[in-house]
Amino acid sequence: MAVPAAQSPVKLMALQLLLWHSAFWTVHEATPLGPASSLPQSFLLKCLEQARKIQSDGTALQERLVSDRRTTGCLRQLHGGLFLYQGLLQALGGISPELATALDGLRLDVADFATTVWHQMEDLGVAPTLQPTQSALPTFASAFQRRAGGVLVASHLQSFLELAHRVLRYLAQP
């Protein structure tokens, strides 16, 4: 009887977990409970040293995996927020002639920052296969709506960037 392809990876993973569990159980069963055997002291010391090194390496790997997952999540959220603000700043186009240069500069800076984060995600191999697409942007029908929207976007962008700065400082710590 053939197993459907969709179930095969699940069964394979379950089998691997069962094998790992069996291997761990065997190790626990083999742990001596009685007095020390007649093994050479040098052998026992070398084995203890190797076990400590493996335990240390395992702990370091576990910390790195947790750290990498946090880093990946932070980068994805950072890129997503920058991408959102890129679109919101685009929607503010035409806010007023005297603010056009400042708005364009801000939009370019946010786009550059988002691109830098995206490239880092690609370097780490955690970037989605496709870049996100901009969802529906708000439309501002009047000059008042554009100005009010501009105040809100600028205020929220400032708060977002302060949070991003704190996260990046945290990630920069050794």
Side-chain angles (χ1 to χ4, degrees):
M1 179 173 172
V3 178
Q7 291 180 356
S8 182
V10 174
K11 287 185 178 183
L12 180 61
M13 186 169 51
L15 181 60
Q16 287 175 333
L17 289 173
L18 181 62
L19 289 172
W20 287 346
H21 177 70
S22 297
F24 290 139
W25 185 260
T26 303
V27 168
H28 286 293
E29 289 292 312
T31 304
L33 299 175
S37 65
S38 60
L39 294 172
Q41 190 68 22
S42 61
F43 169 77
L44 293 173
L45 291 174
K46 184 175 182 174
C47 288
L48 283 171
E49 180 183 327
Q50 288 175 324
R52 283 189 197 110
K53 182 183 182 323
I54 292 170
Q55 186 178 21
S56 173
D57 290 348
T59 301
L61 177 62
Q62 183 179 13
E63 289 171 1
R64 177 67 190 269
L65 289 170
V66 169
S67 174
D68 285 351
R69 192 173 68 206
R70 269 193 231 128
T71 300
T72 299
C74 289
L75 290 176
R76 284 185 179 162
Q77 289 179 354
L78 180 59
H79 184 266
L82 290 167
F83 192 73
L84 170 70
Y85 282 106
Q86 205 176 340
L88 291 172
L89 291 169
Q90 180 73 31
L92 291 174
I95 191 170
S96 73
E98 63 270 5
L99 296 176
T101 303
L103 181 63
D104 287 342
L106 184 58
R107 189 172 42 230
L108 287 174
D109 289 344
V110 170
D112 286 346
F113 191 8
T115 300
T116 300
V117 172
W118 182 264
H119 287 299
Q120 182 61 45
M121 290 169 55
E122 286 180 329
D123 290 348
L124 293 172
V126 297
T129 54
L130 297 173
Q131 283 212 21
T133 56
Q134 202 60 258
S135 59
L137 298 174
T139 54
F140 302 106
S142 69
F144 172 77
Q145 288 177 347
R146 279 190 294 279
R147 279 204 175 271
V151 168
L152 290 173
V153 168
S155 172
H156 287 281
L157 175 60
Q158 186 65 30
S159 296
F160 173 78
L161 290 172
E162 288 170 5
L163 178 62
H165 186 76
R166 284 195 307 266
V167 167
L168 290 169
R169 274 197 331 249
Y170 169 76
L171 292 174
Q173 294 175 353

